[in-house]
Amino acid sequence: KKIDRKKLSFSIITPVLNDKRVLNVIESLKKQTYKNFEHIIIDGVSKPSVIKIIKRNDKYINIWISQKDRGLYDAINKGIKMSSGDIIGILNADDVYFPKTLEIAKKYFENKKIDFLFGTVIKDRLLHGFWPNKIWWKFNIYPSHSCGFFVKSKIHKKLGLYNTKFKYSSDRDFIFKLIKQKYKGVCTNKDEV
């Protein structure tokens, strides 16, 4: 399916490597109430069982590739370069969207005139800690992005892609750039998951 260029559109990028839960991602996107999006899967050369899932659902995926990459952020960057939507969302292989996710995000981008959005998420477990050997800075206010983070694609054209030299915190680096350049963002209401 093609996205309608006359309406606000989303590019949902899913990096995957050997995770069969990518099927849950595809199923959650099929249930979206707002349908003007493209789904891009960037696979890092998974086992045949995962490739079989992707191939079986090819009609629900706009673009997918399977090739070696240099990690999560390199895969996401490949997806961003292939995207054509107005808004970028990252939906990892172990995440899902609730049915109204894109509808809620659309409402905020249209009504608030924002550049990025942090959506409320439900996590199945909370990981907390500070690992200086992995992550050298902690915001305490802004979380790293997750399936609830959306950003206008034109912002990537201005600020650049994710810096792959940060293996664990390229998303935090990107958020820091957003804040430093004074781009406008908001959070959804707590009950808008």
Side-chain angles (χ1 to χ4, degrees), residues 28-156:
S28 78
L29 287 171
K30 284 166 45 177
K31 295 175 185 171
Q32 288 305 297
T33 55
Y34 187 71
K35 304 289 187 185
N36 198 30
F37 67 89
E38 63 182 359
H39 188 201
I40 300 169
I41 294 181
I42 307 297
D43 174 69
V45 187
S46 290
K47 295 175 185 173
S49 58
V50 175
I51 297 298
K52 186 186 253 184
I53 291 168
I54 295 169
K55 284 183 176 178
R56 205 175 319 133
N57 290 281
D58 186 62
K59 67 182 175 185
Y60 304 109
I61 304 163
N62 296 73
I63 301 169
W64 73 271
I65 61 167
S66 184
Q67 60 183 222
K68 287 280 186 200
D69 54 53
R70 292 176 283 123
L72 176 67
Y73 297 110
D74 183 43
I76 291 170
N77 286 343
K78 286 180 183 182
I80 291 169
K81 289 176 188 175
M82 295 177 183
S83 68
S84 61
D86 301 308
I87 309 294
I88 303 287
I90 309 300
L91 189 58
N92 292 315
D94 60 346
D95 293 325
V96 295
Y97 283 157
F98 284 2
K100 290 188 175 186
T101 298
L102 297 181
E103 188 177 322
I104 291 168
K106 174 186 177 287
K107 175 185 81 170
Y108 276 90
F109 278 98
E110 288 182 340
N111 297 336
K112 300 284 185 183
K113 306 300 179 203
I114 55 173
D115 300 304
F116 63 94
L117 175 70
F118 283 106
T120 302
V121 297
I122 295 176
K123 294 187 177 263
D124 64 353
R125 65 194 180 284
L126 289 177
L127 303 175
H128 181 73
F130 178 62
W131 305 280
N133 59 332
K134 292 182 181 178
I135 300 171
W136 58 271
W137 185 258
K138 187 173 180 182
F139 280 105
N140 291 326
I141 297 170
Y142 288 93
S144 61
H145 75 51
S146 64
C147 61
F149 180 74
F150 296 90
V151 64
K152 287 183 175 178
S153 58
K154 69 180 182 180
I155 302 300
H156 278 293

Side-chain angles (χ1 to χ4, degrees), residues 73 144-146 162 166 168-176:
Y73 297 110
S144 61
H145 75 51
S146 64
Y162 292 98
F166 298 117
Y168 299 101
S169 59
S170 188
D171 51 353
R172 293 171 190 258
D173 173 66
F174 184 73
I175 292 165
F176 177 73

